[in-house]
Amino acid sequence: MSKGSQAPGAAASGGGAAARAKRPSVMTKRQVRWRNRIIVALALFACALVLERSGALAALFGTPGDVYAAFAIYLVPYLVSGYDVILKAFKGIVNREPFDEHLLMTIATLGAFALVLFPDTGPHMAEGAAVMLFYQVGELFQSYAVGRSRKSIADMMDIAPDYANVMRDGRLEQVDPDEVAVGDEFVVKPGERIPIDGVVTEGSSDVDTAALTGESMPRHAGEGDEVVSGCVNMTGVLTVRATKPFGESTVSRILELVENASDKKARTESFITRFARVYTPVVTGLAALIAVVPPLLFGLAWGDWVFRGLTFLVVSCPCALVISVPLSFFGGIGGSSRMGILIKGGNYLEALAHVDTVVFDKTGTLTNGTFEVVGVHPAGACPAPAEGDAAPEAAPADADELLRLAAHAEAFSTHPIAASVRGAYLKSGGAAIDQGAISDVSERGGHGVSARVDGHEVLVGNDRLMAQADVTSQPCELVGTILHVAVDGAYAGHIVIADVVKPDAAEAIARLHAAGVSKTVMLTGDRREVADSVASRLGIDECHAQLLPQDKVDQVERLLAAEPAKGRLAFVGDGINDAPVLTRADVGIAMGAMGSDAAIEAADVVLMDDKPSKIAAAIRISRKTMRIAWQNIVFALGVKVLVLVLAALGIANMWMAVFADVGVAILAILNAMRCMNVAKMAR
Ligand code: ADP
Ligand code: MG
């Protein structure tokens, strides 16, 4: 990747679409030299062609002499354009891995020149030189295409910051983000990219998350807010305290994911690699047979059949196939990451294309996971549902104490419920959480938490937790998730919280159905009433409530068993209480912004902006990518077989062969590059 694209200047210019568009799409120096060499060779070739065809050579050198002169003048563009190919073929032989396209090309073209030794056939030097020339044109094009798609991934991945501004001796200094430790403070100026995940300690600003999510939605960040690395700070100066080392920050994780994605090959992709390994020796053998058998057995003209064999070799070059299939996957993965959908490998892209069942976790996936406290009811004081809005009501005196105990018991939990309870407690005017007063904390997935607060045994959780502790809980008429609280084995009351369904959740389900997903399922550990109301509002086909984390795995196992052979099951979750399910599903999809690190680790696909509607987009992109990959396979193989047969029959000459080869390669590459065009593909 060019160093220039990472210069501080580029980051300062906003790094947005405008800056990206201005950057010229450059070839590497090597490609420029390569291109120039091809142009020179083309010019030399044209001169040679004119000299030969105009009869100038014949006039100068007489009849046998003109052939040798032609040989010499075609050899020049041939060597100029193809010396490196011949060298590579030679190196392949030395390394005992001879069967690649360089060898095919070298044999075919040298053979065409060598035909001068067969007086029974016309000279084929022009073809030999032309094959090498156009082969190189095709190769250059390929290299450019691969480079471009790599670069556009790098561009979009141009989220890697080069430096962090750290205060040293009263002066701001630019240091390597790697050198910033957790707890260090750094300054992000407007226009700069946030280098490391952290919490704002000073200042307020709008941050643009486009690089991570594909959507330009400025988000406001003020004191105490978390900011994610890779986002661009737009308006104000922010001082941020690092909460993670650079290596574990969002940016590093994304870059790692994308870099590793090409290691995980789709079956289609590895099929092609294996195919090429067998195919090349086979066609080389066939070509040898075509060249040798008919003259030996039937006394046919050597020159003619050797030429057919050589033509066969030119046609058989598998470049189009070998390059365009991985390029399609590369494009699909790169394109979707531009939309904030990180697919960890070609194999997952392939699986996504076959998804027909999508299973959702509720909290944090279909709902925001930011609960509002709608009621705090100490034992014996649970009123009937309030009319109209669900604002917290004026509670009896010890409601504050109930909330305080609950918030302390939840002090160390990462569950969205816990965060909401803590938030509600602080908002109600509670003093900062006194961690010294808390001990013996234990969290039970799908149940709740228990802890010792101020020497009292506090339980916070659902009625299952209460039942386990032999505490009789009191029902509540408010709709929502109910957190019962027990103190020293006695029921103390409950806190009612309500979650909000994500704005695009209903649309996400509708789009999945429209994309042909036959079944959507919701699994949740929450109460049946809450689950049913969410499921029916969203149009989910099947809903299972009151599940423990293990029950979720069982449900997914059951659904997996019911899958048709070709169907794949995707599970979408936030990793809280559901990481095992993420691993178990054919495709685990995690919410990246909200989700835990464990979820991002366990998942195969990560949605950077937590929008469930991106799932349908991911499925559509993967289907189109697969379709394009298969179009290429069928098209390239079809044309190959056709021209191979024509070559064996002596109908196709080398000109046709080279155009078939380079033409197919270029068409296949152009087709593969459509995969990058995700905006269109997601529709
Ligand atoms: P979901 O399947 O909706 O994501 P979970 O499996 O994470 O929900 O949790 C299921 C239920 O377990 C919650 O609705 C809640 O009643 C209870 N629970 C889980 N964790 C906690 C916690 N930290 N505090 C209180 N209750 C909890
Ligand atoms: Mg959950």
Side-chain angles (χ1 to χ4, degrees), residues 344-629:
K344 287 199 195 165
N347 51 342
Y348 304 122
L349 193 109
E350 198 169 30
L352 260 182
H354 295 116
V355 162
D356 64 348
T357 305
V358 181
V359 182
F360 291 93
D361 178 50
K362 179 179 74 79
T363 310
T365 304
L366 289 173
T367 65
N368 280 333
T370 48
F371 295 82
E372 282 288 318
V373 172
V374 293
V376 181
H377 303 154
C382 178
E387 290 291 302
D389 66 341
E393 46 222 275
D398 47 1
D400 288 343
E401 176 62 8
L402 189 65
L403 193 56
R404 190 186 75 84
L405 285 173
H408 278 73
E410 298 273 19
F412 299 106
S413 171
T414 53
H415 200 282
I417 289 180
S420 312
V421 170
R422 291 194 298 263
Y425 164 68
L426 292 177
K427 224 164 68 190
S428 73
I433 287 184
D434 171 16
Q435 297 195 348
I438 312 164
S439 63
D440 300 335
V441 183
S442 90
E443 178 153 7
R444 260 173 288 163
H447 288 91
V449 293
S450 70
R452 189 166 284 280
V453 182
D454 299 335
H456 297 289
E457 180 70 41
V458 180
L459 296 178
V460 185
N462 47 28
D463 39 17
R464 247 184 333 230
L465 184 76
M466 294 297 125
Q468 272 183 2
D470 275 335
V471 174
T472 322
S473 55
Q474 212 175 67
C476 182
E477 283 164 315
L478 286 186
V479 182
T481 305
I482 301 192
L483 301 182
H484 296 289
V485 182
V487 180
D488 292 329
Y491 189 65
H494 50 245
I495 298 168
V496 188
I497 56 182
D499 198 357
V500 187
V501 168
K502 284 187 187 169
D504 68 329
E507 185 199 337
I509 305 293
R511 283 225 246 157
L512 282 174
H513 283 136
V517 168
S518 53
K519 201 196 254 176
T520 50
V521 182
M522 187 175 91
L523 304 179
T524 177
D526 209 346
R527 295 166 66 202
R528 169 135 304 125
E529 293 83 349
V530 179
D532 284 344
S533 104
V534 170
S536 67
R537 218 171 338 145
L538 296 183
I540 286 181
D541 302 324
E542 208 178 300
C543 162
H544 303 276
Q546 285 167 338
L547 301 174
L548 295 177
Q550 179 54 38
D551 302 334
K552 293 189 187 173
V553 179
D554 293 345
Q555 286 287 346
V556 166
E557 297 278 2
R558 182 183 62 79
L559 290 162
L560 276 171
E563 276 291 298
K566 282 217 144 150
R568 293 284 178 274
L569 179 143
F571 178 81
V572 198
D574 60 355
I576 304 215
N577 290 345
D578 56 21
V581 200
L582 277 174
T583 332
R584 186 63 194 88
D586 293 322
V587 190
I589 305 176
M591 297 290 157
M594 263 272 292
S596 60
D597 292 358
I600 293 171
E601 207 61 38
D604 310 316
V605 177
V606 180
L607 304 179
M608 285 316 295
D609 55 1
D610 291 4
K611 283 198 179 153
S613 54
K614 287 278 169 78
I615 301 163
I619 291 180
R620 280 183 195 276
I621 290 174
S622 55
R623 287 205 190 138
K624 292 215 174 144
T625 305
M626 292 302 295
R627 201 176 313 146
I628 287 173

Side-chain angles (χ1 to χ4, degrees), residues 63 66 138 144 225 251 258-259 337 353 414 537 554 581 641:
T63 350
D66 67 341
Y144 181 67
D225 288 338
V251 156
V258 175
E259 266 158 34
S337 49
T414 53
R537 218 171 338 145
D554 293 345
V581 200
V641 169

Side-chain angles (χ1 to χ4, degrees), residues 311-323:
T311 311
F312 191 88
L313 269 188
V314 176
V315 190
S316 61
C317 181
C319 351
L321 220 52
V322 169
I323 187 71

